[in-house]
Amino acid sequence: MRASKLYAPTLREVPAEAELISHQYMLRAGLMRRSSSGMYTYLPLGLRVLQKIETIIREEMNAADAQELLLPIVQPAELWHETGRWADYGDEMFRLKDRHGREFCLGPTHEEIITALVRLDVSSYRQLPLRLYQIQNKYRDEIRPRFGVIRAREFIMKDCYSFDKDDQQANLSYQAMYNAYDRIFKRCGLDAKPVEADSGAIGGDSTHEFMVLGEAGEALIVYCPQCDYAANVERAECKEVEKVEEELLQLEEIATPEVKTIEQLSEFLKVEESKIIKTIIYLADQKPVAVLIRGDHQANEVKIKKYLNCTQLELADPVTIEEVTKAPVGFAGPIGLDIPIYVDYAVASMVNGVAGANKVDTHIANVNIDRDYQAAAIVDLRQAEAGDQCLRCGGNLETARGTEVGQVFKLGTKYSEPLKATFLDENGKEKPFIMGCYGIGVSRTMAAIIEQHHDQDGICWPLSVAPYQVIIVPVNYKDEEQRKVAEQLYQSLRDLGFEVVLDDRLERPGVKFKDADLIGFPLRITVGPRQLQEGKVEVTIRSTKEQIPVSLSEVEDWVSKFIRG
RNA sequence: CGGGGCGUGGCGCAGUUUGGCUAGCGCGCCUGCCUUGGGAGCAGGAGGCCGGAGGUUCGAAUCCUCUCGCCCCGACCA
């Protein structure tokens, strides 16, 4: 490709819309442009990167015995009614009607439609295991799209679904995908860490997320530096805490005018936040419940939701709180509450804690479980944090941020049962498929790669996903000798099957170097008067900025060795 | 949905508070000269319904009302 004809409009300045490095570089390097909030056009260079990533995914999926197909983007509402997700998905689903008034959605995911397909055509255990995947656009009307392609409303995803006859076989599918993901991300040059995760609305009992660690990440994870335990904080379990043996003191009301937050209370009473009981009133499927968390801990709504087995969980509004506690917001406490009280382990082990008195401007000291209030249950309800003990080895957990690039789920029969997708087993017995689903955010992976491979000058693409492998830059394209050498090299490298751009623009060298760095070609071959005198050109490795003079007769070999090893 | 901010040429911005005459600047773009190892220089030029609608006024980018779009924080979601 000749740079003079390449549609890669680079920008010198950072567009105001971009905050993340990856987002900025994707715009500046001319990989993509925004069309509307959360929707992007991929320009030729961006598309080439996507295709490289997709090729890696296809190779590994095929190697794991998955077969590619292509499902429709527009899906009928009926299928979603069968699983109940037409209602559950809520505003995040893009919905539309055809001219007859029939309802459809733009697929946010494809479990329903693939299960409906397989139930038609697969009826015997002999046809299993079956693993099917596609690379497709997905649509989710995110409440707030952000970070460019990382949280977009239209995005590209590889999704794979496995159908097995029993748990044992399903575990093999899960493991095969898990291993394939490891290889895929490695080949993309990504350092992706598998972490235990919560299964969320998709459902299922076991799941791992593949996280690319970095400041830009939206998810918080905890990991153990001593063993290989790693989990999303939403999922990470916290240990039961042993009760301190201490004398129970008498309840004592304390006037705390205008003291409403844990921080203020700790300051006011000169008491550590860990001695304070935080009483949070939630509405779980519209019914009020109280959750007790230690003052210095964070409530984990995913855990709460899961334990209560409710579909909706939200903080109660001030009116409800006053109704339930008979006090304004800020003075809720467990004593005398007549709604179910769910107590976190850490609170259950507290002795003589401080809590709200359910009375305006008042708190109570020396609150103790069982003696002063009854728990509906004592469970793990808080968010894990740095310094917590590792459940596996007892080490001290650390936290990190991560971007989720892939997730693997064991679904069980969550979809096959309601959709009546069954087969006959060896004994002629009808059984629902044991399913799994496995996603990779392809467009997001591109951004994640940039997050991990860039410097102040631009992107440093790993060879495996670079839009082109080499750029040839004649310092002065008008110079006859430089042009001749550059053109010859361009020809011979392309003949050898390399992906090459020739920068034939009549720009000054600085402009061409800046663009080459920004776009991030792994190799740059500079054809300039200095080296040419000695019959050489200069090869620059983008990632290290290393400059190597190579004689003209050896360039092809050098490049070949670098790229093909 | 709540809070905050922004919409002025392709990109980045000034001008808006205190209305005023041809709406500016930098970058990019076009033409010519010149230059060619890290975003050169000189000269000339193209390009703007000031997001949109309505209103106030002799006069609106500027004031008022409504509306649309975009970004950030949060709630949300995986």
Side-chain angles (χ1 to χ4, degrees):
Chain A
M1 188 71 209
R2 288 173 185 273
S4 60
K5 295 288 177 286
L6 181 64
Y7 182 40
T10 55
L11 302 175
R12 293 194 181 192
E13 283 170 287
V14 182
E17 72 187 65
E19 196 131 287
L20 277 195
I21 287 284
S22 59
H23 190 188
Q24 293 176 357
Y25 280 150
M26 284 173 83
L27 294 170
R28 284 193 58 205
L31 304 185
M32 67 166 191
R33 291 288 180 261
R34 195 191 72 229
S35 150
S36 62
S37 179
M39 314 271 189
Y40 292 88
T41 295
Y42 293 101
L43 303 179
L45 289 180
L47 182 59
R48 286 183 71 100
V49 175
L50 285 174
Q51 288 168 338
K52 292 276 183 86
I53 297 170
E54 289 172 4
T55 298
I56 291 172
I57 292 174
R58 286 196 170 94
E59 287 172 5
E60 295 298 338
M61 281 294 115
N62 295 344
D65 292 329
Q67 303 170 64
E68 185 169 4
L69 45 59
L70 191 60
L71 299 159
I73 290 173
V74 176
Q75 305 182 21
E78 292 90 82
L79 280 177
W80 290 78
H81 284 305
E82 285 185 49
T83 57
R85 288 210 293 178
W86 185 258
D88 290 351
Y89 233 96
D91 291 336
E92 202 173 309
M93 189 184 249
F94 275 106
R95 296 160 204 258
L96 62 153
K97 282 183 186 169
D98 69 7
R99 59 169 67 194
H100 306 292
R102 287 189 206 112
E103 292 190 292
F104 294 86
C105 66
L106 300 183
T109 175
H110 285 73
E111 283 85 7
E112 276 80 359
I113 206 155
I114 195 145
T115 308
L117 173 82
V118 169
R119 77 180 166 188
L120 280 182
D121 296 318
V122 180
S123 48
S124 160
Y125 72 95
R126 292 177 204 276
Q127 294 165 280
L128 305 180
L130 182 61
R131 298 167 189 166
L132 301 169
Y133 76 99
Q134 64 166 346
I135 296 176
Q136 248 287 20
N137 279 3
K138 294 275 188 285
Y139 296 82
R140 294 183 191 170
D141 193 359
E142 292 286 346
I143 213 161
R144 180 146 92 87
R146 57 182 130 180
F147 303 145
V149 106
I150 288 188
R151 183 168 290 271
R153 297 195 295 170
E154 175 183 81
F155 57 98
I156 303 168
M157 189 168 168
K158 183 284 306 182
D159 47 323
C160 178
Y161 306 88
S162 62
F163 299 84
D164 288 291
K165 62 176 183 177
D166 54 29
D167 286 335
Q168 196 189 351
Q169 205 180 58
N171 285 340
L172 292 177
S173 289
Y174 188 84
Q175 201 53 50
M177 287 297 139
Y178 185 104
N179 295 340
Y181 275 31
D182 256 342
R183 282 193 298 272
I184 288 167
F185 294 124
K186 274 205 185 75
R187 287 182 60 186
C188 287
L190 278 175
D191 179 18
K193 194 179 184 72
V195 309
E196 292 180 12
D198 181 75
S199 51
I202 288 187
D205 46 9
S206 180
T207 172
H208 286 84
E209 290 169 333
F210 285 77
M211 293 285 189
V212 173
L213 300 190
E215 280 308 303
E218 286 192 273
L220 195 60
I221 67 166
V222 293
Y223 64 95
C224 177
Q226 282 178 36
C227 66
D228 62 355
Y229 178 74
N232 192 310
V233 285
E234 292 178 345
R235 153 84 187 201
E237 291 165 45
C238 302
K239 267 191 170 172
E240 227 169 311
V241 193
E242 273 183 45
K243 205 159 180 163
V244 203
E245 287 303 326
E246 211 179 296
E247 195 188 338
L248 304 192
L249 301 176
Q250 286 254 299
L251 282 179
E252 187 186 340
E253 275 201 10
I254 309 169
T256 51
E258 293 299 311
V259 178
K260 293 180 178 177
T261 66
I262 297 293
E263 207 181 359
Q264 289 167 350
L265 189 65
S266 161
E267 181 76 8
F268 185 84
L269 296 177
K270 303 278 177 270
V271 162
E272 284 169 36
E273 292 189 358
S274 61
K275 294 291 284 180
I276 298 174
I277 299 170
K278 187 152 56 174
T279 305
I280 309 170
I281 312 293
Y282 281 102
L283 286 175
D285 289 339
Q286 315 305 332
K287 283 194 283 289
V289 299
V291 171
L292 304 192
I293 303 289
R294 212 170 78 181
D296 57 329
H297 287 156
Q298 296 292 315
N300 181 331
E301 297 187 0
V302 172
K303 289 180 182 174
I304 298 170
K305 208 165 160 178
K306 202 170 195 169
Y307 180 78
L308 297 178
N309 197 20
C310 62
T311 48
Q312 239 199 348
L313 183 78
E314 53 183 356
L315 281 174
D317 53 287
V319 177
T320 308
I321 291 177
E322 287 198 33
E323 253 169 47
V324 169
T325 67
K326 319 270 190 296
V329 177
F331 302 99
I335 303 180
L337 276 188
D338 61 356
I339 55 175
I341 299 174
Y342 298 95
V343 182
D344 179 64
Y345 286 145
V347 171
S349 72
M350 267 166 85
V351 177
N352 300 326
V354 177
N358 297 324
K359 195 164 142 191
V360 71
D361 292 345
T362 313
H363 281 81
I364 295 189
N366 304 327
V367 172
N368 289 290
I369 193 167
D370 296 336
R371 186 190 74 178
D372 304 321
Y373 66 93
Q374 306 303 316
I378 297 172
V379 267
D380 170 24
L381 297 175
R382 74 172 173 101
Q383 193 143 304
E385 53 188 37
D388 283 355
Q389 281 203 343
C390 173
L391 276 175
R392 301 258 182 85
C393 74
N396 281 331
L397 294 180
E398 292 179 17
T399 56
R401 305 201 86 32
T403 299
E404 179 196 335
V405 287
Q407 186 161 18
V408 289
F409 283 100
K410 287 184 192 175
L411 290 173
T413 58
K414 174 160 172 139
Y415 296 95
S416 50
E417 264 182 58
L419 289 165
K420 301 184 180 61
T422 59
F423 64 98
L424 294 180
D425 72 5
E426 293 91 328
N427 305 312
K429 223 180 123 197
E430 190 175 45
K431 282 186 173 167
F433 296 106
I434 309 296
M435 290 175 57
C437 79
Y438 318 91
I440 290 179
V442 179
S443 35
R444 177 184 276 197
T445 294
M446 171 156 67
I449 293 170
I450 297 172
E451 288 292 333
Q452 285 196 346
H453 298 275
H454 70 269
D455 60 20
Q456 66 284 359
D457 293 315
I459 305 167
C460 306
W461 290 116
L463 261 173
S464 58
V465 296
Y468 287 89
Q469 298 160 330
V470 186
I471 183 165
I472 300 169
V473 181
V475 167
N476 180 1
Y477 189 70
K478 276 191 192 161
D479 179 273
E480 201 183 330
E481 195 191 359
Q482 289 178 39
R483 186 173 68 228
K484 229 175 84 187
V485 169
E487 289 281 354
Q488 262 169 17
L489 246 177
Y490 177 52
Q491 188 63 42
S492 62
L493 287 177
R494 281 196 309 159
D495 288 347
L496 288 167
F498 296 110
E499 299 163 332
V500 192
V501 169
L502 171 65
D503 199 340
D504 58 343
R505 296 177 300 171
L506 301 179
E507 292 285 354
R508 292 169 58 85
V511 173
K512 294 190 273 195
F513 293 151
K514 287 289 184 187
D515 274 346
D517 286 350
L518 181 59
I519 292 169
F521 302 93
L523 285 183
R524 185 180 89 205
I525 301 177
T526 311
V527 180
R530 290 185 201 160
Q531 315 282 340
L532 223 46
Q533 279 183 335
E534 303 164 31
K536 291 181 176 174
V537 293
E538 183 182 87
V539 182
T540 307
I541 300 171
R542 176 64 184 87
S543 56
T544 60
K545 293 272 170 106
E546 200 180 343
Q547 301 185 337
I548 304 126
V550 180
S551 70
L552 276 172
S553 56
E554 291 165 5
V555 188
E556 286 92 345
D557 282 349
W558 196 99
V559 170
S560 183
K561 211 165 173 187
F562 182 87
I563 292 175
R564 293 178 181 153

